[in-house]
Amino acid sequence: MDVLVPVEKASLVGIRAIVSAGEAKAVLESLSDEIKPVTSDWKLRYQMNLDLLKKGSVSDIASIVRCLYHR
């Protein structure tokens, strides 16, 4: 699939730069890491995940995916 976004609007839309191959590999490997026990309170988990999503880093998003998968 091709997604076309005008370059002038990329920062306005919130598109992040492409990650390097090394960073992508590290993030994929981190998906199999042990998870830390998270709270059973869904509201607190939701807020923690939302805060990580707002940061927007690839590693933070991968940690959310890892925790949700194990949950």
Side-chain angles (χ1 to χ4, degrees), residues 16 19 23-24 26-28 30-31 33 52-53 55-67:
R16 89 168 65 82
V19 297
E23 186 178 1
V27 167
L28 287 174
S30 75
L31 291 176
D33 290 347
L52 287 174
L53 277 175
K55 287 183 184 178
S57 77
V58 176
S59 60
D60 289 336
I61 293 171
S63 70
I64 294 170
V65 169
R66 181 179 62 238
C67 290

Side-chain angles (χ1 to χ4, degrees), residues 2-22:
D2 292 331
V3 178
L4 303 175
V5 176
V7 175
E8 300 84 30
K9 304 250 182 187
S11 62
L12 179 68
V13 176
I15 295 176
R16 89 168 65 82
I18 297 174
V19 297
S20 67

Side-chain angles (χ1 to χ4, degrees), residues 32-45:
S32 63
D33 290 347
E34 288 288 324
I35 61 165
K36 300 174 194 167
V38 292
T39 180
S40 60
D41 181 15
W42 72 268
K43 290 179 187 177
L44 185 55
R45 275 195 326 269

